[in-house]
Amino acid sequence: MSEGRKTLTRYTIEAQQRHPHASGIFSSLLNAVATAVKIIANHVNKGSLVGSLGSFEAIGSGAAINLSGRVTQKLDTIANEAMLRECEWGGHLAALAPEGLDGFIPTPDQPPRGKYLLLFDALDCSNNIDINLTIGSLFSVLHTPNPGSEPQLSDFLQPGTQQVCAGFALYGPSSMLVLTTGEGVDGFTLDRDIGAFILTHPQMRIPERTTEFAINASKSRFWEPPIKRYVEECLAGQTGPRGEDFNMRWIASLVAETFRVLTRGGVILYPEDTMQPPSPGRISLMYEANPIAFLIEQAGGEATNGRERILELAPRSLQSRTPLIFGSRDEVRRIVQYHNESDQGLDREYTSPLFNVRGLFSAL
């Protein structure tokens, strides 16, 4: 097999050979995740042909609602079951924590429990399912702090710097698996003819500079001043302080946005806001921000909540939320600088001609 047709299985074996003391358990876990992703991709690809689309109905109360307040889709449940079924039995894990579950699931103690913990969002942005937009899966792997002991909720509450591996699957025109183990970021495309993931995007790197950003502009009236300042400067283009034109892209699919940044650069903003009810952020720290930040940093980018590095945030619970700003290094650093200046009162003379006092775009 040529280097250009390296399968995920060969990739994991070669990685294992570089670490003579490796047991092969971690490689086996990665392949279990990959198998689950293939199952999910198959259901996403067939959609209505196999009755996978639509929402579940809660008994006597209409559509079922998950912990995030979203309607539970049929594919949500199918995807969760695939990840659990493929990953819980092999002795790799001590416990799993699916997004949307208020807690975790210990693996069976026969065979003996493994030394890893798996957090996953089996189907991120599932509200895009029925309109055939790109969706994905996210996962994060941690070491269990007490191997052999009964797992505890506190075992999962580790900062993102402790991740052993992180990645996502992308279900679009092609199905992809993108992952990092702390040695760069590699992307694999599913070859359906042979049923294997093939390495197609080795050692992905994010350009340090960019002229592309993505943000939900409908929430502009809730943004903090540093975010308004940054977006206004981008919109001002060549006539503004940046002296160049920017493009805005907004897919409303976190995994798709991440893949775009990994392949061509850009900055994605899910900033802190003043919406009611108050929230520490709109993005899940454990299930979304941490794995994405690990991938982004490994590809040469940066990820922040506006003031702190995402990977250094201490989670309070599995459901902790955070703002998330990530992408090309220079743009992320500029946004952090604007937050620092705002916090220190150094931007008090800054006024915004494009936003009125309520924060709405008045010049668009």
Side-chain angles (χ1 to χ4, degrees):
M1 180 181 291
S2 68
E3 187 70 18
R5 296 289 292 174
K6 183 183 292 186
T7 65
L8 177 62
T9 300
R10 175 179 164 185
Y11 172 91
T12 55
I13 291 173
E14 290 181 353
Q16 182 180 329
Q17 291 171 341
R18 294 194 296 270
H19 300 85
H21 300 294
S23 65
I25 292 176
F26 179 70
S27 298
S28 182
L29 172 59
L30 278 185
N31 279 292
V33 170
T35 299
V37 167
K38 293 176 192 177
I39 294 170
I40 298 168
N42 187 50
H43 280 278
V44 172
N45 181 253
K46 291 182 177 178
S48 293
L49 295 176
V50 293
S52 296
L53 302 188
S55 61
F56 279 116
E57 297 297 318
I59 297 175
S61 60
I65 305 297
N66 62 22
L67 285 177
S68 301
R70 298 192 299 266
V71 174
T72 300
Q73 304 289 325
K74 291 179 182 178
L75 267 176
D76 282 321
T77 300
I78 292 170
N80 264 300
E81 289 176 350
M83 290 290 284
L84 289 170
R85 185 170 60 247
E86 295 302 320
C87 298
E88 69 179 351
W89 61 271
H92 328 105
L93 299 171
L96 308 89
E99 195 273 339
L101 179 70
D102 191 14
F104 65 95
I105 301 172
T107 57
D109 54 12
Q110 294 294 330
R113 291 190 174 114
K115 61 180 181 179
Y116 297 107
L117 303 170
L118 176 67
L119 300 101
F120 63 86
D121 184 350
L123 208 60
D124 189 64
C125 294
S126 59
N127 54 317
N128 287 335
I129 292 170
D130 287 343
I131 54 175
N132 206 28
L133 288 181
T134 299
I135 53 178
S137 305
L138 285 152
F139 65 92
S140 172
V141 180
L142 300 164
H143 278 296
T144 182
N146 301 297
S149 301
E150 189 71 19
Q152 306 292 325
L153 180 60
S154 58
D155 294 347
F156 286 90
L157 304 182
Q158 304 178 42
T161 52
Q162 299 303 306
Q163 291 175 105
V164 177
C165 173
F168 64 83
L170 190 72
Y171 311 115
S174 59
S175 295
M176 295 197 64
L177 181 62
V178 180
L179 61 88
T180 182
T181 58
E183 299 178 347
V185 177
D186 293 305
F188 302 80
T189 302
L190 180 60
D191 185 334
R192 295 184 181 275
D193 290 337
I194 63 173
F197 279 104
I198 306 297
L199 180 61
T200 52
H201 295 66
Q203 293 297 293
M204 303 173 78
R205 299 296 295 177
I206 300 171
E208 295 178 356
R209 299 188 66 255
T210 184
T211 56
E212 193 166 274
F213 72 102
I215 192 170
N216 184 353
S218 68
K219 296 182 179 180
S220 60
R221 63 193 184 279
F222 302 114
W223 294 341
E224 292 185 306
I227 297 298
K228 294 180 180 179
R229 176 184 177 185
Y230 176 77
V231 173
E232 177 190 323
E233 289 181 356
C234 293
L235 294 175
Q238 292 185 359
T239 62
R242 301 296 301 275
E244 55 187 338
D245 292 328
F246 281 71
N247 289 323
M248 188 172 83
R249 300 283 186 263
W250 181 251
I251 305 174
S253 171
L254 184 56
V255 172
E257 305 276 16
T258 304
F259 185 71
R260 188 181 70 242
V261 166
L262 286 169
T263 52
R264 73 183 195 195
V267 62
I268 314 298
L269 300 95
Y270 290 83
E272 186 171 344
D273 57 49
T274 60
M275 289 181 65
Q276 297 296 323
S279 169
R282 307 294 166 180
I283 298 297
S284 168
L285 174 60
M286 302 296 289
Y287 296 101
E288 297 174 316
N290 272 345
I292 286 172
F294 191 15
L295 287 159
I296 292 298
E297 288 196 4
Q298 283 294 309
E302 295 191 4
T304 177
N305 64 3
R307 296 172 172 86
E308 300 172 90
R309 181 187 177 205
I310 288 292
L311 292 182
E312 294 178 349
L313 298 178
R316 296 177 179 272
S317 73
L318 288 177
Q319 307 305 325
S320 292
R321 317 294 287 187
T322 181
L324 176 60
I325 298 165
F326 66 94
S328 296
R329 186 195 67 184
D330 289 358
E331 293 306 299
V332 174
R333 290 183 178 181
R334 177 182 290 270
I335 294 167
V336 170
Q337 174 190 334
Y338 288 178
H339 279 83
N340 289 338
E341 291 177 359
S342 179
D343 292 346
Q344 296 171 26
L346 300 178
D347 65 343
R348 56 183 174 270
E349 296 182 359
Y350 171 79
T351 57
S352 170
L354 292 184
F355 294 96
N356 65 22
V357 293
R358 295 183 59 203
L360 293 168
F361 286 103
S362 59
L364 299 183

